[in-house]
Amino acid sequence: FELTAKKADNSRGGTITVTDPANTQLIGSPPVTSPQYIAQTSQGTAEGQPDVGPTWSFQWTAPPQGSGNVTFYAAGNAANGNSSASGDFIYTTNAVSREGAVAAPCLGDVNGDKSLDVTDAILVLKHVAGIELLTPAQSAVADANRDQQVNVGDAVKILRVSVSLDTDLPSRCP
């Protein structure tokens, strides 16, 4: 088999890392921007084992956010082992990994569980009282009443939303 991951401009679509060197290998040594190709080693075949497909594993790390979709191209050879192309079959396929949109943080969801509830309000109150510090990400969503500061008013807003007394914010995050 051989597999590569490419972006729309045919440049490298992330990084392929060998995790099973006995059965897989990177082919060639391209520049950092050129596509990588991973293939089986001679040990990584199922030669002489009819109807038994070997498995190969590797790690793929996506390119940086904003790089766009990545298409994986793969080819496999169902060979009869006679050292010629006669009787062999080449199979190819491809699959697109679409870049996902990063979900916007949900205002008021301090604990990140996709729901505004008493737990979020308690975290805000603990922060205001100096009992617990919020992470920068938590602080960014803790300002539920949008007054540019994290205070008791935010905890009250979160509680009101959680019991449907305030509908200015959704009680469940997408």
Side-chain angles (χ1 to χ4, degrees):
F1 93 101
E2 187 171 278
L3 178 134
T4 189
K6 296 180 179 183
K7 295 189 291 187
D9 64 0
N10 281 329
S11 66
R12 182 179 294 187
T15 303
I16 297 171
T17 304
V18 172
T19 58
D20 181 11
N23 294 308
T24 60
Q25 61 186 332
L26 289 176
I27 303 297
S29 53
V32 174
T33 56
S34 296
Q36 293 176 290
Y37 294 85
I38 189 165
Q40 89 281 344
T41 61
S42 59
Q43 180 182 322
T45 65
E47 188 173 346
Q49 299 177 35
D51 300 325
V52 176
T55 59
W56 304 283
S57 61
F58 58 91
Q59 180 179 340
W60 174 69
T61 304
Q65 183 178 344
S67 296
N69 298 338
V70 173
T71 302
F72 291 88
Y73 299 92
N77 184 4
N80 60 14
N82 70 358
S83 298
S84 80
S86 67
D88 295 354
F89 297 94
I90 304 295
Y91 298 93
T92 61
T93 190
N94 65 68
V96 176
S97 177
R98 304 206 182 283
E99 182 172 24
V102 176
C106 184
L107 199 58
D109 182 21
V110 182
N111 66 359
D113 69 353
K114 305 278 188 211
S115 161
L116 275 67
D117 55 33
V118 69
T119 307
D120 298 303
I122 289 171
L123 284 171
V124 170
L125 290 173
K126 284 182 174 181
H127 174 73
V128 170
I131 298 169
E132 190 169 323
L133 291 175
L134 297 178
T135 67
Q138 288 174 314
S139 293
V141 297
D143 184 20
N145 65 7
R146 301 179 184 108
D147 66 357
Q148 306 303 311
Q149 47 187 315
V150 178
N151 54 35
V152 174
D154 298 306
V156 171
K157 176 80 168 183
I158 292 167
L159 286 173
R160 289 181 56 84
V161 169
S162 72
V163 295
S164 301
L165 290 176
D166 190 329
T167 57
D168 184 41
L169 298 174
S171 61
R172 303 272 319 147
C173 303

